[in-house]
Amino acid sequence: MSENRGVVLVYGVLEVNIMKRIVLRTAAVCGLIIAALAGYAQTLTVTSPNNGDFLGLSNQLKFNVTGASTQVNIKATITGPGGVQFTSENDFTPDADGKINDQLPINFNQGAPEGAYTIDVVAKRKSDNGVFGNVSINVTVDVNKPKFLQFNPLNNSFVKGIVPITVKVLEPNFKDYRVQINGSDIPNNTGTSLVNDSFTVLWDTTGIQFDGSQTVSIRLRDEANNEETKTITVTLDRVAPVVGIVQPLSNIKLSMNSSVSVAIDMQDGSANSIDVTGVDVVVRKLDGTFLARVPRSSFKNTGGNNFRWSGKLRFNRGYGKQFKIVVNVVDRAGNASTTQEVVVTYK
């Protein structure tokens, strides 16, 4: 009986050992299956940029990872014209739900060649270097800002009424423009298209309560969101100049062969709103027939918003014993004065 019991004990130990081995092997297999399933469940999704997007100097590659149970390495390889290539990578830790929502910088310098680029994004587990995601994106790189070739109105100019704000642009990948007056939008101030590389926005100045300095801001933007802004300062002037003839006086008769001294006083909206080219002083017959222009000797600001134009008209028998001097003034904004005239009589 003792011998039989020994045999039974031996077989019992063997059975236990065998069972243990089976359990351990099963656990190992299950572990491998679980790890494989976990690896299979991990996903990489790139949310930005998308295929066909434009990239500028500074960009972010945004992505999502799901099903991660360990740190993940994300590596982006950027390849461009002429064999240009560089990488951006980092390690990311998932949250309690196994998710990663993060980004990598994708930056270019000002000298980077523009054109078609490919961004290859690879995701792998840090624990075993197992790759579980690979995304390829085609983009266009544009690192140059739009350029202003021409613009109107010019800085320090004078305006009134409906002001056309016209801009000519150099930008092959144009996206949009925006025009603001004194930091505020005006009607129809944005657009996405150019005509012959130009656009025009009409500014109705009747919406401005007071004349004076106004700021016009023009923003240009390309498809890569590179921006360029032009700020123009103009003077809104809706008041016509006030003009008076100081000399000659109409009730004075001049001696024959005498020259005529002419002095014109003007007042306008600001100290530089009248330009000498806007002052027209002419000699006409009494019926209005043009005879000559009065030669100018000086033009100056006499203080504040006041100006004086001076000239001298030499005696000319062809003018006859009576003629008139006619004065018209147009300021820089295009406001025209009321015509002034005086009759000159020789004895």
Side-chain angles (χ1 to χ4, degrees):
M1 287 293 294
S2 60
E3 291 180 0
N4 291 335
R5 287 178 181 173
V7 171
V8 171
L9 289 173
V10 170
Y11 280 114
V13 171
L14 289 172
E15 288 175 356
V16 170
N17 289 335
I18 291 170
M19 290 300 295
K20 286 182 177 179
R21 290 179 183 177
I22 291 172
V23 169
L24 291 174
R25 289 177 180 176
T26 302
V29 171
C30 290
L32 291 173
I33 293 172
I34 291 170
L37 290 174
Y40 178 79
Q42 292 169 349
T43 61
L44 167 69
T45 303
V46 175
T47 58
S48 179
N50 296 312
N51 268 316
D53 281 357
F54 285 78
L55 301 185
L57 291 170
S58 299
N59 315 273
Q60 296 293 335
L61 183 139
K62 299 179 181 180
F63 60 89
N64 295 322
V65 173
T66 59
S69 58
T70 183
Q71 261 198 334
V72 173
N73 176 268
I74 304 293
K75 181 178 181 180
T77 302
I78 301 94
T79 306
V84 171
Q85 188 175 86
F86 64 95
T87 61
S88 178
E89 70 174 305
N90 206 347
D91 297 334
F92 300 90
T93 302
D95 62 17
D97 296 324
K99 296 179 180 179
I100 301 171
N101 182 5
D102 220 312
Q103 56 193 25
L104 276 177
I106 305 291
N107 298 327
F108 301 88
N109 59 44
Q110 195 67 58
E114 296 186 322
Y117 280 71
T118 300
I119 303 175
D120 293 307
V121 187
V122 176
K124 62 182 180 181
R125 297 180 297 276
K126 290 287 289 183
S127 58
D128 61 359
N129 285 331
V131 175
F132 65 85
N134 197 326
V135 178
S136 185
I137 307 159
N138 295 314
V139 297
T140 300
V141 171
D142 180 354
V143 296
N144 291 314
K145 296 179 180 181
K147 292 182 180 179
F148 287 84
L149 293 181
Q150 298 174 7
F151 58 90
N152 192 71
L154 299 177
N155 202 39
N156 298 322
S157 60
F158 288 76
V159 298
K160 69 165 188 172
I162 305 296
V163 181
I165 300 171
T166 302
V167 179
K168 187 168 186 177
V169 181
L170 177 62
E171 174 53 60
N173 303 313
F174 186 77
K175 182 178 182 180
D176 58 23
Y177 62 82
R178 184 179 186 181
V179 176
Q180 291 185 309
I181 305 298
N182 301 323
S184 299
D185 289 329
I186 58 175
N188 304 312
N189 67 318
T190 61
T192 58
S193 61
L194 302 174
V195 178
N196 296 325
D197 299 321
S198 302
F199 67 87
T200 297
V201 171
L202 298 179
W203 168 29
D204 185 355
T205 61
T206 57
I208 304 294
Q209 185 174 3
F210 301 106
D211 286 3
S213 181
Q214 315 291 326
T215 301
V216 181
S217 297
I218 308 168
R219 186 207 69 190
L220 307 178
R221 190 165 58 172
D222 65 19
E223 292 287 358
N225 289 324
N226 300 305
E227 290 187 9
E228 185 67 295
T229 301
K230 178 74 68 177
T231 300
I232 305 165
T233 300
V234 299
T235 299
L236 177 59
D237 179 1
R238 294 170 288 194
V239 178
V242 177
V243 177
I245 300 175
V246 179
Q247 289 182 302
L249 299 176
S250 60
N251 59 353
I252 295 179
K253 292 184 179 181
L254 302 175
S255 300
M256 294 297 288
N257 301 322
S258 298
S259 296
V260 181
S261 294
V262 181
I264 313 296
D265 280 351
M266 295 157 275
Q267 186 180 67
D268 202 36
S270 69
N272 60 346
S273 58
I274 295 179
D275 183 80
V276 65
T277 59
V279 182
D280 191 35
V281 184
V282 300
V283 181
R284 295 185 182 275
K285 292 181 179 181
L286 296 183
D287 65 3
T289 304
F290 176 83
L291 294 173
R293 278 193 164 78
V294 179
R296 170 175 50 87
S297 56
S298 68
F299 176 79
K300 59 184 178 180
N301 181 286
T302 55
N305 303 341
N306 299 293
F307 308 82
R308 171 161 285 193
W309 186 99
S310 300
K312 187 173 285 290
L313 182 66
R314 296 184 180 278
F315 176 77
N316 188 324
R317 291 187 181 276
Y319 299 162
K321 287 190 175 183
Q322 268 196 325
F323 56 86
K324 58 185 179 180
I325 295 175
V326 182
V327 179
N328 286 288
V329 177
V330 179
D331 66 19
R332 291 176 184 266
N335 301 298
S337 70
T338 300
T339 300
Q340 302 294 314
E341 58 183 52
V342 61
V343 175
V344 176
T345 302
Y346 281 98
K347 296 177 184 179

